[in-house]
Amino acid sequence: MFENSDLNLTMDKERKLIIAGNWKMNKTVAEALDLVNGIKRDLGNVKELDIVVCPPFTALGEVSKAILKSNIRLGAQNMSEHNFGAYTGEIAAGMLKEFSVRYVILGHSERRQYQKESDALVAKKALAAHGASLKPIVCVGETLGEREAGKTEKVLETQVRDSLAGLNKEQMGETIIAYEPVWAIGTGTTATAAQAQETHSFIHFLLGKIFDESVARRVRIQYGGSVKPSNARELMSLPDVDGALVGGASLEERSFADIVKNSI
Ligand code: 13P
């Protein structure tokens, strides 16, 4: 499908898988604690891959305490591009650091759709995240209409270039990309293994072109969109798929734990 596919650098699996649960706007503090304590019980000994939970802001403090000294890492779902100031309702990177947050999801398609976040804004946020030593998880992905019109490659190239604009090679190496086809999010329809591999490989290829090959080899690309225990093994075994960003199935201990276990 992609004209450049014969040039791509298909990655051998030298990157550690990273599986993150994006809880979106779900879970009270009490529910968040229940979930994370269950995850800790179930997955507390997993060393083979990185496990991240991304609760809503209101639960970060308690979840942070619950996972202290564990193998579970904390992520936030968004942050401001500014470090402080008169930005009512916003949260700065430094405030997330107070809760030992390590990762922050940026430019999720829901924020692009409902809050009209642009690639340029996402790039500013990514720079601010790195400024605070947070690792951004930058989300990209095409809509169904764009895929059907054969525009996937073009849309992703624009998103990747513009949402990562201004990052240096070192920062890019510490950035995670989440490829989340909009048509697969919350729909139960997952990209096929062939679609996921082809698209991830294209993104690694793009990173090689924009930055360089050694940077491209370092960057982990998560797949997101209806990841479930039943499809995790196949998706995570693909050469250019380096993890998952899980929505619905991360809200229950059993399904999240099974996704992780099936990915090892
Ligand atoms: P679902 O796993 O519910 O499809 O959501 C994916 C997602 O948006 C993760 O960020």
Side-chain angles (χ1 to χ4, degrees), residues 123-138 164-177 207 211 215 218-220:
K124 282 189 197 160
K125 291 185 178 198
L127 275 171
H130 281 296
S133 301
L134 287 174
K135 291 187 204 300
I137 298 176
V138 173
L164 303 168
L167 296 188
N168 62 34
K169 289 181 183 178
E170 188 50 41
Q171 290 167 329
M172 188 63 235
E174 295 294 317
T175 300
I176 291 143
I177 293 181
L207 294 171
F211 294 89
V215 170
R218 281 178 63 195
V219 176
R220 295 186 286 183

Side-chain angles (χ1 to χ4, degrees), residues 121-208:
L121 178 65
V122 174
K124 282 189 197 160
K125 291 185 178 198
L127 275 171
H130 281 296
S133 301
L134 287 174
K135 291 187 204 300
I137 298 176
V138 173
C139 302
V140 297
E142 81 287 357
T143 63
L144 186 59
E146 288 163 344
R147 180 165 277 269
E148 286 176 348
K151 292 190 185 143
T152 301
E153 184 179 5
K154 195 168 176 299
V155 167
L156 289 176
E157 174 146 14
T158 301
Q159 288 179 343
V160 167
R161 278 189 189 281
D162 296 355
S163 301
L164 303 168
L167 296 188
N168 62 34
K169 289 181 183 178
E170 188 50 41
Q171 290 167 329
M172 188 63 235
E174 295 294 317
T175 300
I176 291 143
I177 293 181
Y179 167 60
E180 299 205 303
V182 177
W183 47 271
I185 296 176
T187 59
T189 303
T190 316
T192 63
Q195 285 170 327
Q197 171 53 27
E198 180 177 47
T199 313
H200 281 235
S201 159
F202 174 68
I203 296 171
H204 271 135
F205 160 78
L206 271 180
L207 294 171

Side-chain angles (χ1 to χ4, degrees), residues 2 49 54 81 84 97 129 160 172-173 182 196 202 252:
F2 298 122
L49 47 78
C54 305
E81 72 276 29
F84 60 89
K97 291 290 285 186
V160 167
M172 188 63 235
V182 177
F202 174 68
E252 258 190 76

Side-chain angles (χ1 to χ4, degrees), residues 19 23 25 39 52 79 84 88 110 114 146-147 149 156 163 165 175 177 180 186 201 209 231 234 239 245 262-263:
I19 299 199
W23 298 359
M25 198 174 73
I39 291 172
V52 182
M79 55 168 259
F84 60 89
T88 302
E110 287 148 15
Y114 302 128
E146 288 163 344
R147 180 165 277 269
L156 289 176
S163 301
T175 300
I177 293 181
E180 299 205 303
S201 159
K209 200 164 78 159
N231 58 30
E234 185 183 26
L245 186 54
N262 291 349
S263 301

Side-chain angles (χ1 to χ4, degrees), residues 19 184-191 223-236 244-250 252 254-263:
I19 299 199
I185 296 176
T187 59
T189 303
T190 316
Y223 169 80
S226 300
V227 175
K228 308 174 257 243
S230 58
N231 58 30
R233 193 187 307 277
E234 185 183 26
L235 287 164
M236 294 309 114
L245 186 54
V246 186
S250 74
E252 258 190 76
R254 190 69 267 141
S255 49
F256 187 67
D258 284 347
I259 288 171
V260 170
K261 288 177 185 166
N262 291 349
S263 301

Side-chain angles (χ1 to χ4, degrees), residues 72-91:
I72 317 291
R73 298 282 173 262
L74 193 58
Q77 298 175 22
N78 177 39
M79 55 168 259
S80 171
E81 72 276 29
H82 302 291
N83 292 331
F84 60 89
Y87 301 101
T88 302
E90 294 292 311
I91 305 277

